[in-house]
Amino acid sequence: MNGLVVVGMADCRFSGNPSDTLVTYALGSCIALIVHDPVTCVGGMLHFMLPDSSIDADKAKRNPWMFADTGIPRLLNSVCEMGGIQRRLAVYAVGGAQVMDEQGIFNIGKRNALAMRKLLWKAGVMLREEDLGGNLSRSVRLEIATGKCLLRTAGIPERTLCAAAGTCAQGRR
């Protein structure tokens, strides 16, 4: 990979290339969970749709990225397999809006956020920053070289969700 790496819906991408930027678009009730290790310069982004894979175990086997409970552990494990250290990860969450469910009948965004928080808590991982809820669509990107997350909300200019911690350590593997 080199450059812009698009993370689709029910998808996950990883990178250890400082030239890469991970990006996902049009998050409604879905959540983008973003992790970055500033020392080893590796990161990943998961765009999950639903909180619990028990609603369709076959679909979860075919695509574990679709669900929080199957996607989040794989995201954390994959970034650590690339050299990230779990206790050092900067973790960010974006999305979980109520875009098409204005009456709050299904509350998918809220249920996604709750499932994510429980899974992160069990893993001993804390969110550093979040932009969750509301009723507007969002897009987010992660610069692998710096760990900087940039957030674009519908109708609002792009802003920095988290400031870069500096460039990644030199001489990484």
Side-chain angles (χ1 to χ4, degrees):
M1 288 187 269
N2 193 2
L4 193 64
V5 179
V6 177
V7 181
M9 189 178 338
D11 190 13
C12 191
R13 294 283 182 253
F14 314 95
S15 180
N17 183 340
S19 300
D20 284 346
T21 297
L22 305 180
V23 63
T24 195
Y25 301 103
L27 292 158
S29 60
C30 295
I31 290 180
L33 187 62
I34 303 144
V35 299
H36 183 263
D37 185 321
V39 175
T40 57
C41 203
V42 296
M45 182 182 294
L46 167 66
H47 181 146
F48 69 89
M49 297 172 60
L50 296 166
D52 186 2
S53 62
S54 67
I55 63 168
D56 193 333
D58 289 335
K59 193 172 276 190
K61 284 179 186 171
R62 288 191 308 275
N63 185 358
W65 307 123
M66 183 176 287
F67 303 95
D69 66 331
T70 52
I72 291 172
R74 286 176 186 243
L75 167 67
L76 296 173
N77 289 336
S78 295
V79 170
C80 290
E81 286 173 3
M82 292 177 66
I85 304 294
Q86 191 160 311
R87 64 177 160 68
R88 197 169 53 208
L89 294 177
V91 182
Y92 311 98
V94 174
Q98 220 167 274
V99 177
M100 297 178 146
D101 182 25
E102 292 178 17
Q103 306 304 319
I105 295 169
F106 299 107
N107 287 318
I108 299 296
K110 288 179 183 177
R111 290 172 41 216
N112 278 340
L114 180 61
M116 175 195 66
R117 289 180 197 286
K118 285 181 179 178
L119 289 159
L120 291 175
W121 180 80
K122 284 181 182 177
V125 175
M126 299 294 295
L127 283 173
R128 182 173 287 181
E129 193 76 40
E130 66 182 59
D131 193 296
L132 298 168
N135 58 6
L136 296 175
S137 175
R138 300 168 176 93
S139 296
V140 64
R141 56 191 169 106
L142 168 69
E143 296 175 352
I144 296 295
T146 64
K148 184 177 183 180
C149 287
L150 298 157
L151 174 68
R152 184 173 299 267
T153 305
I156 300 171
E158 186 173 68
R159 70 177 177 89
T160 301
L161 177 64
C162 62
T167 55
C168 291
Q170 297 297 320
R172 54 182 260 308
R173 54 181 185 93

